[in-house]
């Protein structure tokens, strides 16, 4: 007699995360893994979940997050679980909470992602142990941030690192990889890392070579010099012999709208001779630290969070400056430390990049304040409902693949991203006709419609419109 399943998902339509056509099947779960997929009628199970008329898919993998500390501070992770996300890739844009000492300076944007002394970790291993000691609802696949290393090891962030500083950072990279980091991220777009030379990055990241880790980057420029930034990224990957991931690919500034045709062609060309991946989010606005560079303040700027003036969240920067009777840069100074939402992209570029065959989905949300970018709560249902179902940008099988199998492959996440016997039981059950984002810029903290049940390692973490309180998340490393 067959051993009973812990859970049997009955009567659903499986989209398995490989782009294969959907098929009707039951899914049996045992010991945190998918034990069987097929006609399982009559099989014994401790619990049953009816999925008739619903899609059963792999849990979504958020390719680009800043959830490093939210996993510890907000372990139910409702803003991601409610979207069907089961794994978050953390430590992006060069920013990670380790390795930092108590007195390490944290200039923006590092300050947005790193808390007080109790939220700092002297080693990457200590951070991973904290995640294991207090598991969250979701899995974490952590990257090490190069900006964090510069803050700890480089005496003057306005210059490239010295040989001794590079050697110190390289040691931290090796230690983080030994602890299980899946790779290294950079954020040369931001002031703390802007002075880092290409050679500094290559030498700091030398331990990535042969490690199985990835190089992930918020590139130096996504405006006029976007092609040069892509070329720098590809060169780093070639020099190190490692896969590269171009974070939240976009072309910003009205003068550059339409240039995604050029950038995607360049990316496609590079893919012919090296491992290149990219992700994007499905919005025309981005969100990050509040800049004090006038060039980066062109266009509409919406304040998402201000530490000294929290009441200004959700207000336009121009309106705040007018109300205060000051110049825009003075208003920026008064609002700091702060984050903002920047309306800087063209919808045609967003659609072209999202539809590009190799593009993964990443939210890039900042889990902070009362008025975050709606992508924090809405990214994945927006792709499923708005771009796939309503606009027909790609079939649902492709949408799911961009959130699951493609992402698991590019980040080397073993046994994730597919519905198959033996794979980890990270699963989402959703209504394909109803799924849609409801988060807006005016009301950004609203859960999506149509996401019904979310399992992480076989345990429900989201059901009937709320978090279950279960916290079965694991730390995912290159060793699986």
């Amino acid at each position: 007699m067959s051993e009973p399943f812990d859970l049997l998902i009955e009567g659903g339509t499986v989209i398995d995360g490989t782009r294969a056509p959907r098929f009707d099947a039951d899914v049996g779960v045992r010991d945190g893994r998918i034990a069987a997929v097929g006609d399982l009628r009559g099989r014994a199970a401790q619990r049953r979940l009816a999925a008739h008329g619903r899609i059963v898919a792999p849990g979504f993998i958020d390719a680009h997050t800043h959830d490093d500390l939210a996993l510890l501070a907000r372990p139910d992770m409702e803003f991601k679980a409610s979207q069907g996300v089961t794994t978050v890739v953390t430590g992006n844009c060069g920013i990670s909470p380790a390795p930092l000492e108590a007195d390490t300076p944290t200039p923006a944007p590092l300050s947005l992602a790193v808390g007080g002394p109790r939220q700092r970790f002297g080693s990457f291993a200590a951070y991973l142990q904290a995640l294991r000691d207090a598991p969250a609802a979701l899995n974490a696949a952590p990257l090490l941030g190069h900006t964090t290393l510069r803050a700890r090891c480089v005496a003057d962030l306005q210059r490239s690192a010295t040989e001794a500083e590079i050697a110190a950072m390289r040691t931290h990279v090796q230690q983080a990889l030994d602890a299980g980091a899946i790779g290294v991220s950079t954020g040369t777009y931001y002031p703390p890392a802007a002075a880092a030379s290409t050679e500094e990055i290559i030498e700091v990241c030398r331990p990535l070579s042969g490690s199985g880790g990835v190089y992930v980057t918020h590139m130096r420029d996504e405006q006029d010099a976007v092609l040069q930034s892509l070329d720098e990224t590809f060169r780093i990957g070639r020099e190190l012999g490692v896969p590269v991931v171009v974070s939240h690919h976009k072309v910003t500034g009205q003068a550059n709208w339409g240039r995604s045709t050029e950038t995607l062609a360049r990316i496609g060309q590079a893919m012919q001779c090296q491992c290149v991946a990219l992700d994007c989010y499905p919005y025309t606005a981005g969100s990050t630290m509040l800049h004090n560079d006038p060039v980066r303040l062109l266009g509409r700027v919406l304040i998402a969070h201000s530490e000294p003036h929290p009441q200004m969240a959700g207000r336009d920067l121009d309106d705040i400056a007018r109300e205060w009777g000051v110049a825009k840069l003075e208003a920026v100074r008064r609002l700091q430390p702060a984050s903002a939402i920047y309306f800087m992209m063209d919808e045609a570029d967003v659609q072209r990049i999202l539809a590009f065959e190799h593009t993964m989905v990443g939210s890039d949300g900042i889990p902070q304040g009362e008025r975050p970018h709606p992508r924090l709560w809405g990214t994945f249902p927006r792709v499923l409902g708005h771009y796939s179902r309503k606009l027909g940008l790609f079939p649902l099988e492709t949408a799911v693949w961009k959130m699951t199998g493609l992402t698991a492959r590019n980040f080397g996440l073993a046994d994730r991203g597919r519905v198959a016997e033996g794979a980890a039981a990270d699963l989402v059950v959703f209504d394909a006709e109803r799924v849609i984002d409801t988060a807006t810029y005016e009301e950004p903290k609203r859960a999506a419609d149509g996401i019904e049940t979310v399992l992480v390692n076989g345990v429900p973490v989201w059901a009937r419109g709320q978090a279950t309180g279960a916290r079965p998340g694991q730390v995912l490393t290159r060793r699986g």
Side-chain angles (χ1 to χ4, degrees):
M1 186 173 178
S2 301
E3 184 181 353
F5 297 117
D6 297 334
L7 173 67
L8 182 56
I9 304 173
E10 298 177 304
T13 298
V14 173
I15 294 182
D16 68 3
T18 68
R19 278 195 297 185
R22 67 192 74 183
F23 57 94
D24 293 337
D26 307 315
V27 179
V29 174
R30 189 185 301 120
D31 297 329
R33 293 199 166 265
I34 298 171
V37 180
D39 184 351
L40 305 177
R41 285 176 293 182
R43 296 287 297 274
Q46 295 180 17
R47 290 178 297 137
R48 296 175 184 272
L49 175 63
H52 301 86
R54 302 294 184 260
I55 299 296
V56 181
F60 306 142
I61 302 170
D62 193 336
H64 189 103
T65 84
H66 297 283
D67 295 336
D68 308 60
L69 293 179
L71 290 160
L72 297 168
R74 302 165 63 180
D76 284 343
M77 295 292 288
E78 299 102 321
F79 52 94
K80 292 294 171 67
S82 63
Q83 299 183 56
V85 172
T86 56
T87 296
V88 292
V89 178
T90 62
N92 284 283
C93 298
I95 303 165
S96 61
L100 288 171
E101 295 175 312
D103 60 348
T104 301
T106 55
L110 192 55
S111 57
L112 292 178
V114 176
R118 293 185 180 181
Q119 295 175 307
R120 296 186 181 201
F121 304 88
S123 69
F124 208 80
Y127 170 63
L128 297 190
Q129 191 58 48
L131 292 177
R132 294 185 178 109
D133 289 343
L138 310 187
N139 304 310
L143 296 160
L144 169 68
H146 167 252
T147 294
T148 296
L149 297 182
R150 281 180 62 83
R152 174 158 179 168
C153 299
V154 178
D156 180 1
L157 296 178
Q158 304 306 310
R159 59 164 172 76
S160 193
T162 65
E163 289 188 14
E165 291 164 341
I166 288 172
M169 289 190 281
R170 189 163 52 230
T171 297
H172 285 298
V173 171
Q174 185 63 63
Q175 291 173 348
L177 292 172
D178 290 343
I182 65 167
V184 178
S185 76
T186 59
T188 45
Y189 170 82
Y190 293 109
S197 66
T198 308
E199 288 69 28
E200 173 190 319
I201 294 168
I202 292 169
E203 293 307 317
V204 167
C205 293
R206 283 289 178 197
L208 277 177
S209 299
S211 72
V214 295
Y215 172 73
V216 182
T217 183
H218 181 159
M219 300 191 305
R220 211 173 284 277
D221 195 294
E222 296 171 319
Q223 292 187 300
D224 298 352
V226 63
L227 292 178
Q228 294 92 316
S229 292
L230 283 170
D231 289 343
E232 179 188 38
T233 298
F234 303 150
R235 180 194 160 196
I236 291 168
R238 289 194 305 271
E239 293 275 353
L240 296 172
V242 301
V244 300
V245 179
V246 178
S247 292
H248 44 56
H249 182 49
K250 62 178 95 62
V251 283
T252 63
Q254 192 166 352
N256 294 297
W257 289 358
R259 293 188 66 199
S260 58
T261 55
E262 299 174 55
T263 63
L264 293 175
R266 187 71 60 91
I267 289 169
Q269 183 181 24
M271 284 177 168
Q272 301 304 309
C273 55
Q274 64 184 112
C275 292
V276 177
L278 71 159
D279 66 77
C280 78
Y281 48 80
Y283 297 87
T284 56
S287 181
T288 185
M289 61 182 277
L290 179 59
H291 291 293
N292 56 14
D293 179 352
V295 174
R296 295 180 178 178
L297 296 173
L298 297 174
R300 185 186 178 200
V301 180
L302 190 67
I303 301 302
H305 168 76
S306 169
E307 199 167 297
H309 298 283
Q311 74 279 10
M312 293 302 174
R315 298 279 307 277
D316 276 37
L317 177 60
D318 285 343
D319 292 342
I320 294 170
R322 192 177 302 112
E323 182 178 303
W324 285 350
V326 298
K328 186 185 293 188
L329 286 179
E330 173 59 20
V332 166
R333 186 191 67 78
R334 295 184 186 184
L335 289 164
Q336 301 284 14
S339 60
I341 295 168
Y342 301 85
F343 293 82
M344 56 188 177
M345 289 168 277
D346 181 58
E347 177 66 18
D349 284 316
V350 172
Q351 291 190 29
R352 190 177 294 115
I353 293 168
L354 185 59
F356 184 62
E357 180 181 3
H358 307 285
T359 303
M360 303 177 288
V361 177
S363 68
D364 194 21
I366 301 173
Q368 185 182 65
E370 293 302 312
R371 298 294 291 269
H373 192 300
R375 65 190 180 185
L376 183 67
W377 285 79
T379 291
F380 292 83
R382 182 171 175 80
V383 173
L384 296 171
H386 180 68
Y387 285 101
S388 178
R389 184 180 70 243
K390 292 186 176 181
L391 298 187
L393 200 58
F394 32 63
L396 189 58
E397 286 85 347
T398 298
V400 169
W401 176 70
K402 286 174 170 288
M403 306 172 173
T404 58
L406 177 63
T407 314
R409 184 194 74 191
N410 287 336
F411 285 99
L413 304 180
D415 302 329
R416 310 281 162 171
R418 67 187 192 278
V419 179
E421 187 173 334
D426 294 347
L427 297 164
V428 56
V429 179
F430 66 91
D431 185 340
E433 298 305 315
R434 190 165 60 90
V435 65
I436 195 68
D437 59 308
T438 69
T440 64
Y441 293 101
E442 294 73 30
E443 296 183 75
K445 298 171 75 171
R446 295 176 60 185
D449 284 339
I451 302 293
E452 298 188 355
T453 304
V454 181
L455 306 178
V456 174
N457 298 307
V459 179
V461 299
W462 183 264
R464 295 179 292 278
Q466 62 184 9
T468 66
R471 296 172 185 176
Q474 299 176 3
V475 176
L476 308 184
T477 68
R478 298 183 327 285
R479 295 180 294 275

